[in-house]
Amino acid sequence: MRMSSEKTLARTGVYAFLVISAAFFLMPFYVMVVTSLKTMDEIRVTSIFALPDTPTLQAWVTAWQSACTGLNCNGLSVGFFNSVMIMVPATVFSILLGAVTGYALSFWRPKGTGLIFGILLVAAFIPYQVFIYPLVRMLSQVGLYNSLAGIVAIHVIFGMPIMVLLFRNYYAGLPRDLFSAARVDGGGFWVIFIRLILPLSPPILIVAVILQSTHIWNDFLFGLVFAGSDNQPMTVLLNNIVNSTQGEKAYNVNMAATILTAAVPLIIYLASGRWFVRGIAAGAVKG
């Protein structure tokens, strides 16, 4: 009886902790949503926690279509499409290169495999800021600075270390006998990769897509430095909206713009979080 009471008390404590933690982390989101649904007149006279008297989506429309991001007042819509054009090819190429490199380092093991993997591992933890000036100079020399191709290439380059680390560790956990049998049957590098390795890779591919796509979408630094004024992603335009010094601070528009910018990675996590956990559990961090 006493043990049952202790278990009930412990379970109650765990649930209480989880509820308090969830409330703590969801409170800012709640404030953002209710503020974005108010008019500025209502924001001035009510508490930030108060629900809107007459909810309106005008702030959302303004944030998307006509909020000023400097001299232009086209809202976040332009930045959304720029972010998509940056994220999709950068995610695809970085994952493809990471998968092929991780496969080569795990099974084929060319000369200097340990050195190459060590360099990639170290590069994953070097601050990005160290490389900014040299990369600006290099991209300027080859005509890719302030271009869509340039910002995509930057994301692919900086995504490679973590992608190679993920895929190499995952492939290292696969049975080597499968690879040896494929070699005996005459399979070459690409045949084995396409017909054997890729069909075994969905768990780690899901993990890689989630990590890389959300990282690229949320990036601000590279978008600010390398994208150029015509290719600025959503995060850069959001910064320009929030930090605009023209007129009054439209807190409802700022909150709506912030939620719109965060919507894509949030949807990705909500839609595929279950598969992300399964991918991790299937061996994404083994090795």
Side-chain angles (χ1 to χ4, degrees):
M1 187 72 177
R2 181 180 177 183
M3 186 175 294
S4 177
S5 299
E6 290 178 352
K7 286 183 178 179
T8 302
L9 183 61
R11 187 176 301 170
T12 302
V14 170
Y15 282 124
F17 173 77
L18 292 176
V19 169
I20 294 172
S21 299
F24 176 79
F25 286 107
L26 288 175
M27 187 58 69
F29 182 71
Y30 166 79
V31 171
M32 291 167 62
V33 172
V34 298
T35 302
S36 69
L37 297 175
K38 298 176 182 177
T39 64
M40 282 302 298
D41 291 336
E42 188 176 355
I43 291 173
R44 294 189 189 97
V45 299
T46 61
S47 166
I48 61 172
F49 301 107
L51 291 171
D53 293 333
T54 307
T56 175
L57 294 176
Q58 184 56 48
W60 292 70
V61 175
T62 301
W64 181 255
Q65 293 183 350
S66 58
C68 292
T69 58
L71 298 178
N72 299 319
C73 294
N74 299 320
L76 288 173
S77 56
V78 176
F80 172 81
F81 293 108
N82 287 341
S83 291
V84 171
M85 289 189 293
I86 293 170
M87 180 188 71
V88 173
T91 300
V92 171
F93 285 124
S94 59
I95 291 176
L96 179 60
L97 292 174
V100 173
T101 307
Y103 157 67
L105 294 178
S106 299
F107 292 107
W108 293 88
R109 298 181 181 177
K111 268 188 177 180
T113 295
L115 178 61
I116 294 172
F117 184 68
I119 292 173
L120 288 171
L121 190 61
V122 171
F125 298 99
I126 297 178
Y128 296 158
Q129 293 84 348
V130 174
F131 300 104
I132 287 181
Y133 180 70
L135 284 172
V136 168
R137 297 290 297 168
M138 291 170 59
L139 291 179
S140 298
Q141 291 296 319
V142 298
L144 291 178
Y145 185 60
N146 285 348
S147 69
L148 184 62
I151 184 64
V152 169
I154 291 297
H155 281 298
V156 171
I157 291 170
F158 282 98
M160 276 289 292
I162 189 64
M163 291 297 103
V164 172
L165 177 63
L166 283 176
F167 282 100
R168 185 263 182 192
N169 286 350
Y170 179 79
Y171 292 149
L174 297 178
R176 191 165 181 83
D177 291 343
L178 292 175
F179 173 75
S180 301
R183 289 293 309 277
V184 171
D185 290 339
F189 183 93
W190 291 109
V191 171
I192 296 175
F193 178 70
I194 294 173
R195 295 189 178 182
L196 176 63
I197 301 300
L198 278 184
L200 297 173
S201 301
I204 193 61
L205 286 173
I206 292 171
V207 173
V209 168
I210 294 174
L211 288 177
Q212 193 66 350
S213 61
T214 54
H215 169 74
I216 293 172
W217 187 275
N218 291 329
D219 168 70
F220 171 78
L221 180 62
F222 291 155
L224 179 65
V225 176
F226 296 102
S229 58
D230 294 333
N231 305 298
Q232 288 180 335
M234 222 171 173
T235 50
V236 176
L237 296 185
L238 171 65
N239 176 74
N240 294 343
I241 291 174
V242 173
N243 292 315
S244 175
T245 57
Q246 298 177 357
E248 68 172 356
K249 281 284 185 182
Y251 295 108
N252 52 354
V253 174
N254 292 348
M255 295 298 185
T258 303
I259 297 172
L260 286 170
T261 303
V264 169
L266 183 61
I267 291 171
I268 291 175
Y269 271 118
L270 291 177
S272 56
R274 179 176 56 182
W275 290 278
F276 179 80
V277 174
R278 288 180 180 177
I280 292 293
V285 294
K286 287 197 304 184

